[in-house]
Each structure stands twice: as C-alpha cells, then as structure tokens.
Amino acid sequence: MENMAEEELPPQEEEEEAQVRVPTPAPDSALDSAPTPDSAPAPALAPAPAPAPALSPSLASVPEEAESKRHISIQRRLADLEKLAFVTEGDIDSASSLNSDNQNTENSRTCPLCPKEKFRAYSNHKLRRHLQNLHWKISVEFEGYRMCICHLACRPVKPTIVGEQLSSKLGAHYHCIICSATITRRTDMLGHVKRHVNKGETKSRYIAASTTKSANEILKEADTDIQVCPNYSIPQKTDSYFNPKMKLNRQIIFCTLAALAEERKPLECLDAFGATGIMGLQWAKHLGNAVKVTINDLNENSVSLIQKNCHLNKLKVVVDSEEKEEGDALDEDGTLGDIQVTRMDANVLMHLRSFDFIHLDPFGTSVNYLDSAFRNVRNLGIVSVTSTDISSLYAKAQHVARRHYGCNIVRTEYYKELAARIVVAAVARAAARCNKGIEVLFAVALEHFVLVVVRVLRGPTSADETTKKIQYLIHCQWCEERIFQKDGNMVEENPYRQLPCNCHGSMPGKTAIELGPLWSSSLFNTGFLKRMLFESLHHGLDDIQPLIKTLIFESECTPQSQCSVHAPSNLNKQEENGVFIKTTDDTTVDIYSAQGKRKSSEMIINTAKKQKTDVSAAHPPFYYNIHRHSIKGMNMPKLKKFLCCLSQAGFRVSRTHFDPMGIRTDAPLVQFKSILLKYSTPTYTGGQSEGSVQTAPEETVADRVEMSVNDKAEASGCRRW
C-alpha cells in the first residue's frame, strides 16, 4: 500500500496544481514524507504548500450539494474546518493531497490553513481556539459560506525570490468562492465580492447548479407581461430598471390618461424613459385605439427589451416609422394596437415632436427635462412628472434641493407637501418660460416618489397668472406655524407680524425662517379626481381606489363621513363658442379653450374673477400632525373623534394622504391646540386613587382651555392664506 501511495502521489499533486492554476513550491518531497508502518494514524492534515489547492471531497459539511472543487478555506461551519485536522487512517488516500509532515507525531495537531512552521498545537482546545480566533473570526461571509483567511503558499511568487525572502512574502490571503482569485486584505475581499454581485455573478463556479435559470424573468402586472433582466430592481446592476414598488405610481398615471382620453381621441402619448416599457404597454393594451403610444429610451439594451415585451403582449412595434415584419404576422392573431419605440435623448425627442400627454420618470430629478416637455406639448395637454430624488425633496440633502430647484428647505412636520409644492413650482417656472400656464390636477408624495400632474394652458396671460402663485413661505421654528408671504415688492419692517403666532415676541432671537419659492395655490382638482375614480372602477384597479378617494376628500377638505363619492354620472361636457366647459356635481366650472382656439379677453377676465372668488373654497394649505402637537401628560383623543370636534367647531377639516396622522384644516394653530387640549384626557399616575385623580385634572384642563381661548380669541379669525 505504501508503494502504491507513493506512485499515485505526484500525479495527484499535478492535478491539484492544474485546478488552482498557481505554482506551488514544494520544499519537501512528498515521497520523503510518506507515512511509515510504525507511525500512528495521522491525527491532523498538514498545511505545507501542497495543501493550498487541496480539495475536501471527503468532507461531510454539505453532502447535499455537488461540491467537487472548493478550497479547504471555504467552509459553512467551524466544525467543518476542525474536521480537516482529524482525518482517520482510512482517509489517507482521499486526503493524500494534503501535506503529511504533520503525521509524524501522535499528539500534535496542525492547523490545516497554516504551515507547520507557523503553528503546531498539542491539544484540541488550543487548535479550536486558534481556528476560531485567527481564521473563522475574520472570515468573509457569502451566501452561507465563510471564506476563511489562509496562510498557505497559494499565491504566486516572483521567481527571483528565494530563501528567507520566500517565507516572508507568503502572507495571509483569502480565496474567492466565485472565481479563483486570491486577495490579501479583508476589505479588498469584501469589495471584490461586491463587484461580483453588482455584475450578477452570484453563483460559485465551484458549486454545480442544480437547475439552469433563464437569463430573463417574466413578470405580470395589470394583465401585462414584461420580460425583465436579472437584478431588475436595482438601478446600479441593470440597464432596464423595473421597480415593483412603483406599481401605485403606474396605476394612478394610467387613470390620469384614461380620464384625458374621454375628452378627445386619439391622444399622442409619450413615455420618455421606458426602461422595460411597462407603462406604455399598459396604455396601449387597455386603452386601445384611443391612444398612440411612443416609448423612448436612450439605452440600446432597454430598447431591445421594450420590443420583446411588445411582441410578448401581441403589440406591433414601429421603429423609425417602419413596421417590423413580425407585426404583420401578429396582426392576423389579433393585435391590440401599435407602439412606436424610439432610441434618442428625451430632450431631443420632445423638441422634435408634439404630444398630448408626456410622462417624465427619470432616475432622480426631472428638472433637466421640463423645458423640453413644455416646448411642444399641445394646449390642454397633460404633463406628469415623477421625481424620485426624495433625499433632496424631503430635506435630507438641502444643498441638493437648492442646486436643483433653487429653493430653501428645512425638515418640517409637513415636509411631504412641502416637497410636492417645490416640484410644482419648478414645473410652473418651466411652463412660464415657454409662455404657458398650468393647472395642477393633483400632487402625490409617498415614500418613494413625488408625482405631480398638471394641465397645460397656452398663452402669456395664463403664464402670468401661474407665476403669481409662486410665493415664499414664513415658517416658525418654535410652534410650526406657517403662512405665505403677502404679495408685493415692498420690504416689510417686521415680517414676523405676518405669522399668527407670537413666538417672536416671547422667544429670544430669530424664530422664523423663509422657505421657498413654493406653489401657493391648490394642489387638487376635485372634478378630475372624480373622473379618475370612475376610470379606476371601470378598469378594475382596486389598489389605487383608496388613494384617489383620499385625494377627493382632501381636495374638498371634508371628512369622509360627510363627503360622498359617486361616479361622474352628472358630468356634463359641452363646447360653446369655442370654449370647452366641464360642469361637475360640486358646482365648480372649469373653463378651458378648445384645442387650437384662444380665449377671448372677456372670457379671461371672467375666469380671473371666478378664480378670486373660489380661493376661499379651495383646500387650506399644509396640515398638522396630531402627534407633534400633543400635550405632555394628556392622552389624545382618537383621530376620527378629533376630526368631528374640529368640524363641530366650525372649521373645515379632512385627513391627508401625505401623513397618516396628519389633519388638513383651516383652523389656526392656537385653536387647533386648544381643541386638542379640551378633548384630551389626563394620564393617571400610580399610587393615587382613581376618583381623586379624575376630578382635579378635569378642573385644571377646563381652566387651561378657558385661559387659552380667552387670551388668544383674536387669533380665531386668522387664516393661513
């Protein structure tokens, strides 16, 4: 048996060298270190240069996986690493690639990842402590495996280095589980593995995959099939980004387009940043001939993926005004429509062509594309802008907001509505530069995005009316009171007088800051939102209906118990003298010019007068968070009860989608706090009887409410407009 082992040992060493593809210096011959009959069974595996590329086929750590090629420093558990030091006599042949110099003595235990000159233990406890503290503790973890640090002679060394210099150059290193690279530093190894993951290389080449997964995955959303690339939800890892969390955004934009399609047909629609093309595919598939969809993307891989998704949904593809041959074949099977796919810069495309509906959803801010969007958009068209740079809009990166939007912003209790008004102000300025005005149909600010949808009104007069609605906001940092600055160019001696609060007189120093410029007018159009709700019911979009209902209640500033939402059965649309009039059930009349016709001067004057009279009917700006204004030592009332209390006091009140605990009301902050204090109950402390505690705080609360109401009764008539 010894002679057979001696004959088979060198070929196995050559096979191991070929697998690792690194030169392995062999200072001692493997034949000289062969075990003698007198020697005891090897209690440990030797870590000489040969074991560096050694494999662990006899390992019982992961018997369920087909692991045929894996370095011994890559293990799942610490116990698996300890087993390498305890190989029985029958396993000598299977572990013959390991150095057998450590089998000379019976009691010695040698680390399988260190050379014999570096470490030799004479107890199991010392070996375990060495493996745990040196190798296992500073390992790199990846998908359940640990890449332990290795001190063997695995790394290639310059041929000019010999003798003592050789041992000094053979330092510690890590073996990559994905490729055959060896990295010296742990931080470099972490970055090396991260680069593999960013490229989508997450499968180890040492582990045989059980099944071969297709490169692209097919997802389904709203009866639309799309093919996505690997790592589709991470922008840094894929060219065609698809975010499943933006499903709500896609549905609300679809309802917007469906409501616009009821006004005039056909509509030329543009999805300026298609990525996978999911949004444009939903438009063409569900609205049919009412829309002519154009999907654009600058990335070549995204364009090819959009074309595949069009064929997957039986939609004809038009590229450069020429239909592909596949489109004719699909037409016989019953195609739902055609989609034009373009590959160019979004700014260039919007300068070359005119559209009725434009959706902008770039990665980050949209300010770089607003001028091009309003350059050729048709009159009474709609521009929807999705901004995902929430770090700047939500006042986490204030310098970025100042650079992109040119506004000053701080973190407030109403920061989400503040973000929506910042985006609307940027949209309004871009439209005014093109001699166009806007009417805000709705603005939504959720966790991942800020969506603003506006209708375009042509003419310099509309542009002037739009710019007048961009104002600065005075915000008190002590009590969170806020008010828009008055119109006019004259400098006020004391701007603090505009605030309803008296914090500047009672608090030292400067108590208020100026935020903006912001959009100061309404953020919602009730009639258009009701039409969107009807379209969501018609197309079966159940996920978006609660949000649209909340927007309707918020636009009317009415509690849900007092507001009824019906389908727009009494929505009358007629055209008189070139004017398109929409009359909704809430007696509001929105007057627009018919497409291609300008407003008369008399109609403009009447519209301006109507807008001035309807200011009081618009929803109040901003909202209060009930938790931010809670009284210490008092239990707040339920939110629904508090809404009823404010409504009974004569104030307009509603909930808001910006904040689940927010209340939109026209009540001043002083009255808001006094009513909150009135209906709050005291927090009882232990050690006191319930009856005595119950009577005293009630009297105290009543006195505090009377004092607050009597002292600040003059603030009841204040409004924040």
Side-chain angles (χ1 to χ4, degrees):
M1 289 296 296
E2 292 182 6
N3 296 334
M4 293 178 63
E6 291 176 358
E7 293 177 358
E8 295 176 358
L9 185 58
Q12 188 170 359
E13 290 181 351
E14 294 178 0
E15 181 181 354
E16 294 164 359
E17 291 177 0
Q19 292 172 354
V20 182
R21 295 177 295 179
V22 294
T24 55
D28 297 327
S29 175
L31 298 177
D32 297 337
S33 60
T36 60
D38 300 334
S39 60
L45 301 181
L55 311 177
S56 53
S58 61
L59 216 65
S61 59
V62 278
E64 68 277 2
E65 296 182 358
E67 301 181 6
S68 58
K69 299 179 180 179
R70 181 163 51 83
H71 194 265
I72 59 175
S73 63
I74 303 173
Q75 301 293 336
R76 283 186 179 272
R77 299 173 300 177
L78 179 61
D80 300 333
L81 191 61
E82 295 178 5
K83 290 179 182 179
L84 295 176
F86 301 94
V87 180
T88 59
E89 184 177 359
D91 296 333
I92 293 179
D93 294 338
S94 61
S96 60
S97 60
L98 301 175
N99 194 346
S100 59
D101 286 342
N102 298 321
Q103 303 175 5
N104 295 331
T105 60
E106 182 178 1
N107 297 326
S108 63
R109 300 290 185 268
T110 313
C111 175
L113 300 180
C114 295
K116 64 178 182 179
E117 306 89 22
K118 184 176 180 62
F119 177 81
R120 182 186 292 270
Y122 290 91
S123 64
N124 298 340
H125 175 70
K126 187 176 180 181
L127 175 63
R128 178 181 177 84
R129 188 173 57 184
H130 167 79
L131 292 175
Q132 183 175 3
N133 295 337
L134 180 63
H135 298 284
W136 192 260
K137 190 175 182 179
I138 57 176
S139 60
V140 177
E141 187 175 1
F142 177 76
E143 294 186 355
Y145 284 88
R146 291 291 191 97
M147 292 172 276
C148 303
I149 190 168
C150 176
H151 292 269
L152 301 177
C154 305
R155 294 175 58 83
V157 186
K158 295 182 180 180
T160 56
I161 300 178
V162 291
E164 296 181 356
Q165 296 180 358
L166 178 64
S167 60
S168 63
K169 292 293 181 180
L170 297 177
H173 56 273
Y174 295 89
H175 290 266
C176 179
I177 190 175
I178 300 175
C179 63
S180 59
T182 54
I183 311 296
T184 55
R185 301 179 60 183
R186 186 175 184 272
T187 55
D188 297 340
M189 189 65 191
L190 292 172
H192 177 79
V193 174
K194 186 176 181 180
R195 284 190 292 271
H196 276 302
V197 175
N198 291 340
K199 295 178 181 178
E201 301 172 355
T202 57
K203 294 295 182 182
S204 173
R205 73 181 191 92
Y206 298 120
I207 301 175
S210 57
T211 58
T212 304
K213 188 178 179 180
S214 59
N216 294 339
E217 182 180 355
I218 296 179
L219 303 179
K220 189 172 185 178
E221 180 181 303
D223 296 331
T224 305
D225 299 327
I226 57 168
Q227 192 176 18
V228 295
C229 298
N231 299 319
Y232 56 86
S233 60
I234 304 176
Q236 292 84 1
K237 299 180 182 179
T238 180
D239 296 330
S240 300
Y241 177 53
F242 175 75
N243 190 0
K245 297 180 180 179
M246 298 290 285
K247 178 181 179 180
L248 208 64
N249 177 275
R250 289 186 284 269
Q251 288 187 356
I252 195 170
I253 291 174
F254 174 81
C255 294
T256 303
L257 182 59
L260 180 63
E262 295 297 326
E263 299 179 8
R264 58 183 187 270
K265 300 177 182 179
L267 294 175
E268 293 192 21
C269 312
L270 171 65
D271 184 8
F273 303 90
T276 59
I278 174 64
M279 191 172 295
L281 292 173
Q282 292 178 354
W283 300 348
K285 193 168 184 178
H286 295 284
L287 297 180
N289 296 327
V291 294
K292 295 181 179 179
V293 181
T294 301
I295 305 178
N296 175 71
D297 203 288
L298 188 60
N299 188 276
E300 184 177 0
N301 297 331
S302 298
V303 171
S304 61
L305 186 61
I306 292 171
Q307 296 174 4
K308 294 179 182 178
N309 290 331
C310 290
H311 299 319
L312 187 63
N313 292 274
K314 296 183 179 181
L315 295 169
K316 291 189 294 185
V317 180
V318 179
V319 181
D320 296 332
S321 300
E322 294 181 0
E323 297 185 4
K324 285 194 171 183
E325 296 179 358
E326 294 89 341
D328 299 334
L330 290 172
D331 193 19
E332 299 176 357
D333 299 336
T335 56
L336 301 175
D338 56 351
I339 294 180
Q340 184 172 1
V341 181
T342 59
R343 179 177 175 265
M344 62 177 66
D345 187 84
N347 286 323
V348 176
L349 178 61
M350 289 184 289
H351 272 288
L352 294 176
R353 293 179 53 187
S354 299
F355 295 95
D356 298 294
F357 183 87
I358 297 177
H359 175 61
L360 301 177
D361 187 10
F363 183 73
T365 181
S366 303
V367 293
N368 299 327
Y369 307 95
L370 294 178
D371 291 337
S372 303
F374 285 99
R375 180 65 59 184
N376 279 338
V377 64
R378 294 193 175 100
N379 188 32
L380 301 181
I382 289 180
V383 176
S384 65
V385 178
T386 300
S387 300
T388 55
D389 54 334
I390 57 176
S391 61
S392 61
L393 291 175
Y394 289 173
K396 296 180 180 179
Q398 302 176 10
H399 61 287
V400 181
R402 189 178 297 108
R403 182 171 69 246
H404 288 168
Y405 300 95
C407 66
N408 183 33
I409 184 174
V410 295
R411 186 82 169 190
T412 60
E413 65 172 333
Y414 50 92
Y415 66 94
K416 286 189 177 181
E417 184 172 348
L418 201 66
R421 293 184 179 274
I422 288 173
V423 177
V424 175
V427 171
R429 290 194 298 267
R433 285 192 291 268
C434 300
N435 287 335
K436 293 181 176 67
I438 65 168
E439 181 204 3
V440 183
L441 299 180
F442 63 89
V444 177
L446 297 179
E447 181 182 0
H448 304 286
F449 64 90
V450 175
L451 173 62
V452 171
V453 178
V454 300
R455 188 189 291 273
V456 180
L457 306 177
R458 187 179 60 184
T461 304
S462 300
D464 295 339
E465 292 295 331
T466 298
T467 54
K468 291 179 182 179
K469 299 177 183 178
I470 301 176
Q471 300 177 1
Y472 284 89
L473 182 75
I474 301 177
H475 171 81
C476 180
Q477 292 183 308
W478 285 97
C479 65
E480 298 273 356
E481 186 60 278
R482 74 295 301 231
I483 190 172
F484 282 106
Q485 280 188 355
K486 297 179 180 179
D487 296 334
N489 298 327
M490 302 303 294
V491 179
E492 286 197 24
E493 182 180 356
N494 188 6
Y496 293 99
R497 295 179 180 176
Q498 300 183 26
L499 285 169
C501 64
N502 193 26
C503 296
H504 179 65
S506 59
M507 301 295 179
K510 298 180 179 180
T511 60
I513 57 175
E514 188 180 69
L515 305 180
L518 308 173
W519 178 258
S520 62
S521 185
S522 175
L523 291 178
F524 308 103
N525 186 311
T526 308
F528 191 83
L529 288 173
K530 290 182 178 180
R531 293 164 55 196
M532 289 176 56
L533 180 61
F534 175 75
E535 296 297 336
S536 65
L537 294 171
H538 177 68
H539 293 280
L541 302 177
D542 299 333
D543 298 337
I544 199 62
Q545 293 174 16
L547 177 59
I548 298 179
K549 291 179 181 178
T550 304
L551 295 177
I552 295 175
F553 300 143
E554 190 173 0
S555 64
E556 297 179 345
C557 199
T558 308
Q560 298 184 9
S561 59
Q562 302 179 10
C563 181
S564 61
V565 179
H566 302 285
S569 57
N570 56 346
L571 182 64
N572 301 323
K573 298 186 295 182
Q574 54 185 351
E575 185 176 349
E576 297 178 358
N577 298 327
V579 178
F580 185 78
I581 303 177
K582 296 184 301 178
T583 306
T584 57
D585 54 356
D586 57 351
T587 68
T588 59
V589 180
D590 300 329
I591 303 178
Y592 303 109
S593 298
Q595 185 175 1
K597 300 180 181 180
R598 294 183 178 275
K599 293 181 181 179
S600 62
S601 59
E602 182 179 358
M603 187 62 63
I604 293 173
I605 295 174
N606 295 336
T607 304
K609 290 181 179 179
K610 172 192 167 298
Q611 290 176 353
K612 291 181 180 179
T613 58
D614 289 347
V615 167
S616 60
H619 67 85
F622 303 112
Y623 55 89
Y624 297 111
N625 187 295
I626 189 173
H627 285 172
R628 293 285 290 267
H629 300 284
S630 61
I631 296 94
K632 185 177 180 180
M634 306 290 288
N635 290 329
M636 296 183 303
K638 297 294 183 179
L639 187 59
K640 292 183 179 180
K641 180 182 178 181
F642 185 63
L643 291 175
C644 295
C645 296
L646 284 173
S647 180
Q648 292 174 1
F651 298 106
R652 301 174 61 195
V653 61
S654 69
R655 301 188 66 173
T656 175
H657 81 280
F658 292 111
D659 190 352
M661 298 304 297
I663 297 177
R664 185 181 296 278
T665 177
D666 58 350
L669 183 60
V670 174
Q671 294 295 320
F672 183 88
K673 288 185 175 180
S674 64
I675 296 176
L676 181 62
L677 178 64
K678 180 179 179 180
Y679 293 96
S680 298
T681 58
T683 302
Y684 302 114
T685 58
Q688 296 180 344
S689 61
E690 184 177 357
S692 60
V693 176
Q694 188 172 1
T695 57
E698 286 181 356
E699 298 177 356
T700 306
V701 169
D703 296 340
R704 291 170 63 185
V705 171
E706 291 180 1
M707 291 177 60
S708 62
V709 173
N710 294 334
D711 294 342
K712 301 178 180 179
E714 64 276 4
S716 61
C718 298
R719 292 296 182 268
R720 287 175 286 131
W721 281 105

